[in-house]
Amino acid sequence: MAAKLLSGKEVSESMLAEVLKDANELKAKGITVKMAIMRVGEDPGSISYEKSIITRMGKSNIEVESVQFPIDVTEADFIAKLQSINEDKNIHSVLIFQPLPDQIDAEKIKYLLSPEKDPDALNPTNLGKLMIADERGFFPCTAEGVMEMFKFYNIDVKGKDVVVINNSNVLGKPLTIMLTNEFATVTMCHVFTKDTASYTKKADIVVTACGIYGLVKPDMLSEDCILIDVAMAQMKDENKEFVLNEEGKKIRTGDAHVDCLNKVAMITSATPGCGGGTGPITTALLAKHVIKACKMQNGLL
Ligand SMILES: NC(=O)C1=CN([C@@H]2O[C@H](COP(=O)(O)OP(=O)(O)OC[C@H]3O[C@@H](n4cnc5c(N)ncnc54)[C@H](OP(=O)(O)O)[C@@H]3O)[C@@H](O)[C@H]2O)C=CC1
Ligand SMILES: Nc1nc(=O)c2c([nH]1)NC[C@@H]1CN(c3ccc(C(=O)N[C@@H](CCC(=O)O)C(=O)O)cc3)C=[N+]21
């Protein structure tokens, strides 16, 4: 039987109304909510996110200042712009797209971004607030988006065995903390995990974000499993060649092999026919965090 599809789009739309109402209430007080985005180079994931941000913020009455740099921008030029945004009282948040090129020291940048204007928790101050569940902090949107999906579909994680295949600062680590705060039992897998399938086979919930189509296969999952596939990749065949659709275009996928659809109980994935994945929730949460930053900076929270 085909799995129940979980739709990130549906979750994100349920959040839009509140964001728009808040933005309009701020406008009535004479405050225009505004964020900046900073992109270096032409990373396809960042360009896709940028498009999604511009559309979503437009619908939410949030202004966006889009700053783009060539791939060879100097660190000094990048920092000068970041500092002018930090000081600009009319800009409430700034998102710095990752990855940054090698000549820019990402570790240094994280500390320079004002924690009050950091909607995706790049600054370690916000990651620290996540550790102690301080709700005045900002938590990474991608990880929080997975929790929003559980909430929307009434999936109670308490006491569940959850496997997270990713250990990055934007997803695996923060999500593990959020899940633990809700009393799930969490296992994090990564490239040095000896036998990922031995964990996923027993899991009630599997969250994956590796960017490798087919990394998660039906024989790794139980029939009762809920599979949340956060990854965004392009489909490749066994020879690592891109698979193209009828129009000759690359096909968007997640990590889940398409046959997972007929194995598990519930699924969301960017793999075709699998519910679309969590991307739209990430963008909606970003909008929510920008509103929160604006309210806090204006003494309204
Ligand atoms: N839906 C959304 O809103 C968003 C989706 N994404 C997508 O999520 C994915 C991950 O992003 P991000 O965390 O930034 O990327 P990273 O490259 O930082 O993380 C990839 C993770 O996958 C793990 N991994 C890779 N190969 C394997 C393997 N064979 N077995 C087990 N684990 C493996 C890596 O482990 P290790 O650390 O040990 O190398 C790492 O933890 C990407 O596809 C990205 O496009 C990203 C942001 C937002
Ligand atoms: N600091 C930082 N934080 C990030 O969260 C981050 C990042 N850098 N760099 C790039 C990746 C990629 N990413 C996406 C999130 C949502 C969509 C999204 O909403 N996509 C739409 C489709 C948009 C389109 O294709 O036009 C969807 O899934 O339906 C896309 C991409 C966040 N990332």
Side-chain angles (χ1 to χ4, degrees):
M1 205 177 77
K4 174 178 173 177
L5 298 181
L6 308 178
S7 161
K9 196 155 184 285
E10 199 180 359
V11 181
S12 76
E13 273 160 13
S14 79
M15 297 162 74
L16 180 64
E18 200 189 333
V19 168
L20 182 63
K21 183 170 150 268
D22 282 352
N24 288 342
E25 278 172 15
L26 286 159
K27 192 117 203 170
K29 292 186 166 74
I31 303 163
T32 300
V33 188
K34 185 171 177 182
M35 75 172 300
I37 49 181
M38 297 176 79
R39 169 164 62 81
V40 180
E42 306 293 321
D43 168 58
S46 300
I47 291 174
S48 163
Y49 194 21
E50 182 173 319
K51 275 194 214 152
S52 189
I53 290 172
I54 290 169
T55 311
R56 163 68 64 179
M57 301 304 158
K59 286 184 190 163
S60 307
N61 284 349
I62 296 173
E63 278 187 15
V64 180
E65 179 175 324
S66 183
V67 184
Q68 285 142 25
F69 296 98
I71 190 76
D72 59 355
V73 62
T74 64
E75 189 185 73
D77 286 352
F78 186 87
I79 290 176
K81 183 64 191 176
L82 176 58
Q83 275 168 342
S84 85
I85 293 172
N86 269 345
E87 283 158 20
D88 186 338
K89 288 204 162 32
N90 295 318
I91 298 180
H92 307 103
S93 281
V94 52
L95 182 87
I96 301 171
F97 288 113
Q98 291 174 318
L100 288 170
D102 291 345
Q103 76 275 16
I104 300 180
D105 182 350
E107 294 311 308
K108 183 157 113 190
I109 300 295
K110 283 178 185 171
Y111 285 93
L112 291 176
L113 165 58
S114 163
E116 290 78 28
K117 294 193 178 187
D118 176 26
D120 206 23
L122 231 55
N123 188 311
T125 301
N126 281 315
L127 290 174
K129 288 185 178 176
L130 171 62
M131 278 300 268
I132 59 167
D134 176 348
E135 292 190 349
R136 290 186 68 76
F138 295 98
F139 306 157
C141 299
T142 310
E144 201 180 334
V146 175
M147 300 305 288
E148 286 291 332
M149 183 155 245
F150 292 139
K151 234 191 287 169
F152 183 84
Y153 288 106
N154 293 316
I155 297 168
D156 186 3
V157 300
K158 192 191 282 175
K160 298 276 165 54
D161 292 330
V162 185
V163 172
V164 180
I165 316 177
N166 179 299
N167 71 353
S168 72
N169 291 336
V170 290
L171 184 72
K173 288 181 213 166
L175 180 60
T176 294
I177 295 167
M178 290 177 201
L179 284 164
T180 307
N181 285 344
E182 302 285 334
F183 302 101
T185 305
V186 190
T187 306
M188 228 194 298
C189 295
H190 44 73
V191 284
F192 292 108
T193 302
K194 278 186 281 183
D195 182 6
T196 300
S198 69
Y199 298 98
T200 55
K201 274 180 193 164
K202 287 186 286 183
D204 300 305
I205 298 171
V206 172
V207 181
T208 183
C210 297
I212 305 169
Y213 175 66
L215 183 98
V216 177
K217 296 184 183 67
D219 63 1
M220 295 167 65
L221 307 167
S222 80
E223 281 165 8
D224 302 322
C225 180
I226 299 172
L227 178 59
I228 310 289
D229 179 359
V230 176
M232 289 177 188
Q234 282 145 346
M235 195 181 279
K236 290 186 181 167
D237 61 20
E238 299 81 38
N239 304 321
K240 301 212 158 78
E241 302 280 348
F242 285 115
V243 179
L244 304 180
N245 66 14
E246 295 105 48
E247 294 158 21
K249 290 203 173 128
K250 292 174 187 165
I251 300 169
R252 274 187 75 200
T253 67
D255 293 341
H257 188 281
V258 67
D259 292 345
C260 293
L261 180 64
N262 295 314
K263 176 72 185 271
V264 297
M266 298 184 202
I267 191 169
T268 194
S269 170
T271 297
C274 296
T278 63
I281 317 176
T282 302
T283 322
L285 267 174
L286 181 69
K288 215 171 147 179
H289 291 181
V290 174
I291 298 269
K292 175 173 159 185
C294 177
K295 285 186 182 170
M296 283 169 55
Q297 285 160 39
N298 284 283
L300 299 168
L301 257 189

